[in-house]
Amino acid sequence: MRSPRCHSPLVSTITLSLPDEDLAFLRKLSKEEGTSAEELLARQARNFRRVMEAPLPAAVAAATGIIAADLDVETEMAEHLGRKHL
């Protein structure tokens, strides 16, 4: 569902189910920051999007793909730790 907001592009409304303790934390934090829980979540979503859409740092991009995609990391780590702590 879309609803217009003053001086901003169209926004969508969503309904979230949160554990009570998470909602209490969100309400407390938003009150401390002098904003609403909705605005706090919207800001976090924008920040998350910015991080996820940002290009990888050159060093990370250069290392991308050096580990085989089909590597069973959990098994390799367990075996490594087993050898390390013999």
Side-chain angles (χ1 to χ4, degrees):
M1 174 166 100
R2 293 191 170 270
S3 61
R5 289 231 173 133
C6 189
H7 304 294
S8 62
L10 292 179
V11 295
S12 296
T13 301
I14 64 171
T15 301
L16 295 173
S17 296
L18 294 173
D20 289 344
E21 64 186 36
D22 292 342
L23 182 57
F25 170 80
L26 182 61
R27 285 181 173 157
K28 179 178 181 272
L29 182 61
S30 63
K31 184 176 180 180
E32 290 171 1
E33 293 193 11
T35 189
S36 67
E38 292 83 359
E39 179 54 34
L40 184 64
L41 286 174
R43 186 174 11 147
Q44 291 301 319
R46 286 189 300 274
N47 289 339
F48 181 62
R49 183 174 131 208
R50 197 170 308 128
V51 168
M52 295 304 293
E53 291 178 343
L56 292 173
V60 175
T64 300
I66 63 173
I67 299 174
D70 62 346
L71 180 67
D72 183 352
V73 177
E74 291 180 6
T75 300
E76 290 292 326
M77 182 59 123
E79 290 174 0
H80 166 74
L81 292 174
R83 290 187 303 273
K84 180 179 177 182
H85 297 288
L86 281 178

